[in-house]
Amino acid sequence: MRRLGVGLILAAIVTAPGLADPAVWRQDWPRTDFTRHSVELREIVSGGPPKDGIPPIDDPVFAPASQADDLAARAPVISLAIGGEAKAYPLRIMVWHEIVNDTIGGVAVAITWCPLCNSAVVFDRRLNGAVLSFGTTGKLRNSDLVMYDRQTESWWQQFGGDCIVGALLGSQLKPVAMRVESFGRFTERLPHGLVMRPPAGSGRTYGTNPYAGYDSAAAPILYRGKYTGRVPPLARLVVVGNEAWTLDLLKKRGSIEVGDVVLSWQPGQASPLDTAAIDLGQEIGNVVVQRKTSQGLVDAVYDESFAFAFRAFHPNGTIHAE
């Protein structure tokens, strides 16, 4: 099922009764323990689609990157390299599914992307000796995807990987270092890597952007908070922990070093949230975030999210804009 139009989503949120009422939610979520929650339930709103209305991919199919002739060099992908394996997950597919449950290098991972926050995070799915698998609740908090695990049907915030409702309340998923880069850079770095292919028979128009024009929007979709940051709410930030740098600043400088963290930027990647055709989006370039170690530079955990989302989840965080 595709997302509803923005106008229909807003109308549904305004008019639908009991959106934050567990008595209503239990019709679709009988296994979720709504007595356990770390956030106000009223902060969670419908994003339009029902439970798994944006269907996760559970059995991803891959092909050698050299055979993916339908992907432009500028096409954005989430790339992951673990245990000698390398895989790329194109955002032209992720925009229609948001979650991929996969295993790479023997590690069970969840590849996630929330288009409304532009937040791409990969999580280790292993928790307390179990392996979780994730789906989409169809709900949002601070305009960010709320996921659920199929084992307990607890609800998880995609932005930080923390469980906010249910039996696993207080649990935290471990983020995994990855990159969001152009397909061309992925194939140059990892020529023997694999690329995820579109699921057969899904009926979705892969390569098109259902959020066309979002890059130039004045305000985020379905965000109820008050944003008072020093940069526009949809400015892209490079986020490392509780600290963030604007993409414009990094582009201007080319590289930034803070302590053991090294941020760098190079051109050649299209925005997935600009034009109707994702591969033709405006230039946003490639960000790499690494840490200095005794063995040299290694990829670090980071995110490239919109400013309003960073401020919502890191109200005391620092944004460097100049």
Side-chain angles (χ1 to χ4, degrees), residues 224-278:
R224 290 184 164 185
K226 293 183 179 180
Y227 174 74
T228 57
R230 57 188 300 198
V231 298
L234 291 173
R236 281 182 168 84
L237 304 182
V238 182
V239 178
V240 182
N242 206 36
E243 202 162 5
W245 295 260
T246 64
L247 182 61
D248 285 345
L249 177 63
L250 181 56
K251 288 169 63 176
K252 179 180 178 180
R253 295 188 180 180
S255 66
I256 296 173
E257 293 191 24
V258 180
D260 65 345
V261 177
V262 180
L263 292 75
S264 61
W265 179 91
Q266 289 187 353
Q269 183 184 163
S271 166
L273 296 171
D274 180 28
T275 55
I278 287 178

Side-chain angles (χ1 to χ4, degrees), residues 21-130:
D21 183 355
V24 175
W25 286 346
R26 285 194 183 94
Q27 297 175 20
D28 295 319
W29 302 93
R31 297 173 52 209
T32 304
D33 184 354
F34 291 106
T35 66
R36 296 171 55 82
H37 54 92
S38 59
V39 302
E40 294 290 337
L41 295 180
R42 59 182 173 81
E43 297 177 7
I44 303 172
V45 301
S46 171
K51 178 182 182 181
D52 284 331
I54 299 177
I57 297 175
D58 294 315
D59 297 300
V61 175
F62 295 87
S66 60
Q67 297 179 11
D69 53 9
D70 58 329
L71 277 171
R74 298 177 68 243
V77 303
I78 298 173
S79 65
L80 198 57
I82 299 177
E85 287 191 64
K87 294 180 177 180
Y89 305 83
L91 294 191
R92 71 202 317 262
I93 300 176
M94 295 295 300
V95 73
W96 295 104
H97 296 276
E98 299 189 357
I99 299 173
V100 178
N101 294 294
D102 196 12
T103 300
I104 177 170
V107 179
V109 292
I111 296 85
T112 72
W113 184 48
C114 177
L116 298 186
C117 293
N118 195 50
S119 178
V121 190
V122 175
F123 297 108
D124 190 325
R125 293 194 284 124
R126 299 171 297 182
L127 182 72
N128 300 329

Side-chain angles (χ1 to χ4, degrees), residues 304-322:
E304 191 176 331
S305 57
F306 289 133
F308 81 87
F310 174 76
R311 180 59 70 212
F313 292 106
H314 295 281
N316 298 315
T318 301
I319 297 176
H320 303 277
E322 56 185 30

